Amino acid sequence: RLAGNLGARRRASSLHLRAWREDPRDAEALYYAAFTIFERRGPLAAWELLRREGDRPDAPPRARADLHALRAELASALRDFDTAEGALARAEDSGGDPVWTAVVRARIMEAEDRYPEALDAARRALDLRPWYRPAVQAAAHLLQLLDRDREALDLLRGACARLESGPLAVQLAALETELGLHADARRSIERVAELSPIVEKD
């Protein structure tokens, strides 16, 4: 996870997969391996992996909840929103982090084109944990989808002033570029470089 946030996404993916191969019974390793497969090969391949591996009832509650939340995201990516809702409810019932499950709910609602409700879910996550990076990114993206670019800009700038996050700075630079704020975008890109000491060439 640290490698990914420091600019080495490919290395992070390789480490996640290696961790799972070395300890295939570890639920957290399975979660990150499945997420990596989702990013590399799509939701069906990740869904099939989790289906083969089962629910891991003996896993710690947080890891079990994360696996249910990932199933919810995969189901929504496959446009099966009833299954997604059921899996997310299991994540919430399993003792999952309510902040993370609120972010997942926002992503699922976005997939359903329910943008205002998705934004409400992302803001609930921010109410529970101010400046939580995944919630900031979700909320800013949803504000853009709702044509509220200036609010998204303010949110991302506020977050970047408080957090050391290359992915946040990337998102801010992209929005500044889209709005024609090129000098600001250049500064944000320079910040990305500062926060990505092991960045990969691509």
Side-chain angles (χ1 to χ4, degrees):
R1 292 172 68 188
L2 187 58
N5 280 284
L6 294 176
R9 292 292 302 276
R10 288 186 181 182
R11 188 186 307 183
S13 296
S14 296
L15 289 169
H16 283 318
L17 292 173
R18 190 168 81 186
W20 177 59
R21 284 195 298 269
E22 290 182 1
D23 192 358
R25 294 304 305 163
D26 185 89
E28 188 175 7
L30 171 61
Y31 171 84
Y32 285 106
F35 199 89
T36 296
I37 289 169
F38 178 25
E39 289 183 324
R40 286 186 174 185
R41 296 174 48 203
L44 184 58
W47 179 270
E48 289 296 331
L49 170 62
L50 292 184
R51 184 184 59 79
R52 288 194 304 271
E53 292 295 324
D55 282 344
R56 301 293 173 88
D58 298 330
R62 174 71 176 270
R64 194 166 61 249
D66 284 347
L67 287 169
H68 287 310
L70 180 54
R71 286 187 180 91
E73 285 204 73
L74 296 173
S76 74
L78 294 166
R79 313 299 295 173
D80 183 351
F81 297 114
D82 289 339
T83 297
E85 187 60 42
L88 189 56
R90 286 193 293 278
E92 292 166 342
D93 293 343
S94 298
D97 179 357
V99 183
W100 176 242
T101 54
V103 172
V104 174
R105 184 170 294 284
R107 291 176 177 176
I108 292 170
M109 288 177 168
E110 180 191 336
E112 295 179 274
D113 300 325
R114 296 162 59 187
Y115 301 151
E117 294 164 275
L119 180 58
D120 287 343
R123 284 186 164 154
R124 277 195 300 278
L126 289 171
D127 287 342
L128 291 167
R129 191 174 302 160
W131 305 111
Y132 180 53
R133 196 262 312 159
V136 169
Q137 290 195 270
H141 175 63
L142 287 157
L143 286 166
Q144 286 186 260
L145 292 176
L146 291 165
D147 294 323
R148 294 160 62 178
D149 290 346
R150 287 291 166 176
E151 290 177 68
L153 186 66
D154 289 344
L155 177 61
L156 288 171
R157 284 179 171 171
C160 285
R162 292 166 173 83
L163 305 174
E164 294 182 337
S165 171
L168 266 179
V170 167
Q171 190 171 351
L172 175 59
L175 178 54
E176 289 169 335
T177 301
E178 187 177 321
L179 295 176
L181 304 171
H182 301 300
D184 294 331
R186 182 182 180 88
R187 284 191 290 272
S188 295
I189 290 167
E190 289 169 352
R191 183 63 174 151
V192 173
E194 292 171 4
L195 294 169
S196 307
I198 58 172
V199 69
E200 294 161 334
K201 286 186 178 181
D202 58 341

